[in-house]
Amino acid sequence: MEIKNVSIIGLGALGILYGHHLSKKIPKENLRIIADKGRIEKYRSEGIYCNGELCDFQYVTPDESVEPADLIIFAVKYSGLDNAIKGAENHVGDNTIFLSTLNGISSEGEIGAYYGFDKLLYCVAQGMDAVKEKNQQTYDNFGILCFGEKEGIDTPKVEQLADFFKEVEMPFELDANMIRRQWGKFMLNVGVNQTVAVFESDYGEIQKDGKAREMMISAMREVMTLSKYEGIDLTEEDLQYWLDIVDTLSPRGKPSMRQDMEAKRKSELDLFAGTVVELGKKHGVGTPVNDQLYLRISEIERGF
């Protein structure tokens, strides 16, 4: 089947990034942004801007009846995933494909448990440096979406989405081992997001030698160690791959956790250091760097 109707739930940095791009490639009536009534009123009154350009979106509330979506993109924070899953119900049809751009290694499991894993493709969003401040989103690097089945890429769903992304000129890459890719991105997030948040800095701070970069790499190495106990076995080569991606980002850019700190809102700390610490306890492995990061960021958040 051909992908025609696309629904996006979540208008953070990534939701705006993909929504704005798709709004230029497909008819307005075929792209829907799912949001509650209050958010929609705010979006319409204040506008949503991507690199200074006003986004022309069609908004629908979760309770509106619509034609089923061929593709649903989840682009919320992890704390909003449960509501987003339920909020997408009216957009789900027999042939709907789900794609999650969330951080971490667990969103696909939750979406699949609710709607069925047969509708799901595993995904990692990487290489983008989008920053959202109020209603303004900016970026230098668009990045790519990496996707595939949990294992393999030779399925009709993968072919269907790849054909659509080619048609709409969405940068993508297929990966036959998406669980490993997700663990690699998780390793990156654990190091980058938390370190930049603690140092109250930007990507430029971790792109140069110094205490921040050392902390970032040490936090990532703890994930690398734990991955071996989880059957993933990330290597030094994987570490270098993700460090090379960090070094391509705009030095002025900031990861989502740093943006949360600036906005004085609760971050995805439990998704990053929280997960690492729990896995460390599970396997009897020390995680001193992530222990420290968890304590320091928790202290910052208590001050909000």
Side-chain angles (χ1 to χ4, degrees):
M1 284 188 61
E2 179 185 0
I3 291 177
K4 175 184 175 184
N5 294 317
V6 180
S7 296
I8 297 175
I9 186 160
L11 269 191
L14 293 189
I16 295 172
L17 185 73
Y18 303 129
H20 183 250
H21 178 83
L22 289 172
S23 71
K24 296 175 174 295
K25 303 295 181 179
I26 64 177
K28 182 176 180 178
E29 62 269 21
N30 295 139
L31 176 64
R32 302 171 299 216
I33 306 298
I34 307 170
D36 60 53
K37 185 177 179 181
R39 282 191 173 90
I40 291 174
E41 290 176 354
K42 183 178 180 181
Y43 296 153
R44 285 174 173 162
S45 64
E46 298 180 0
I48 293 287
Y49 294 84
C50 182
N51 275 355
E53 186 175 351
L54 179 64
C55 298
D56 185 20
F57 292 147
Q58 173 193 191
Y59 299 104
V60 297
T61 60
D63 57 353
E64 289 184 51
S65 295
V66 296
E67 185 179 353
D70 303 304
L71 172 65
I72 297 178
I73 299 175
F74 288 91
V76 296
K77 288 288 185 68
Y78 184 73
S79 60
L81 179 59
D82 186 56
N83 286 336
I85 289 172
K86 295 170 184 173
E89 285 183 341
N90 281 346
H91 295 248
V92 180
D94 293 338
N95 300 304
T96 301
I97 296 173
F98 295 104
L99 207 65
S100 168
T101 66
L102 274 69
N103 290 322
I105 51 178
S106 57
S107 65
E108 278 86 359
E110 296 186 31
I111 296 167
Y114 196 88
Y115 286 114
F117 287 90
D118 59 309
K119 294 181 175 298
L120 185 72
L121 287 175
Y122 286 70
C123 179
V124 163
Q126 67 181 63
M128 63 287 298
D129 51 20
V131 174
K132 182 188 176 189
E133 296 180 352
K134 296 183 179 179
N135 65 336
Q136 302 279 342
Q137 186 257 46
T138 58
Y139 71 90
D140 288 337
N141 297 310
F142 190 87
I144 60 173
L145 286 172
C146 305
F147 67 90
E149 300 284 359
K150 186 175 183 179
E151 295 179 357
I153 54 175
D154 297 322
T155 67
K157 284 204 308 289
V158 172
E159 181 179 356
Q160 185 180 352
L161 186 58
D163 287 345
F164 175 68
F165 278 175
K166 289 174 186 175
E167 179 184 341
V168 299
E169 299 178 301
M170 180 79 80
F172 74 94
E173 181 179 313
L174 300 182
D175 193 324
N177 191 346
M178 281 303 304
I179 301 302
R180 184 183 188 86
R181 173 83 68 155
Q182 288 189 330
W183 265 83
K185 174 70 183 301
F186 175 61
M187 176 174 66
L188 176 77
N189 286 144
V190 165
V192 172
N193 282 41
Q194 300 184 126
T195 301
V196 174
V198 165
F199 277 81
E200 300 181 349
S201 57
D202 50 26
Y203 291 130
E205 185 69 22
I206 55 172
Q207 289 170 336
K208 62 185 180 183
D209 292 335
K211 291 183 178 180
R213 190 172 179 89
E214 290 171 6
M215 174 178 277
M216 172 186 71
I217 293 173
S218 295
M220 292 172 72
R221 286 191 186 281
E222 290 182 353
V223 176
M224 188 165 65
T225 298
L226 288 167
S227 75
K228 302 181 190 309
Y229 291 86
E230 291 286 310
I232 307 300
D233 198 19
L234 295 174
T235 66
E236 289 291 330
E237 185 177 346
D238 293 305
L239 179 68
Q240 190 58 54
Y241 170 84
W242 291 100
L243 289 176
D244 288 344
I245 289 178
V246 169
D247 292 339
T248 68
L249 303 176
S250 168
R252 304 178 304 280
K254 302 170 186 176
S256 58
M257 183 175 278
R258 174 61 176 143
Q259 296 175 54
D260 290 335
M261 297 294 100
E262 290 182 326
K264 298 188 183 303
R265 59 178 175 248
K266 186 171 175 58
S267 71
E268 294 180 309
L269 177 61
D270 287 332
L271 191 63
F272 300 144
T275 299
V276 175
V277 171
E278 287 303 311
L279 286 173
K281 292 176 180 176
K282 172 184 173 182
H283 297 294
V285 176
T287 56
V289 178
N290 278 281
D291 290 345
Q292 178 188 13
L293 286 165
Y294 192 90
L295 289 173
R296 292 176 66 176
I297 296 171
S298 294
E299 184 178 352
I300 294 172
E301 291 185 353
R302 281 195 295 272
F304 292 162

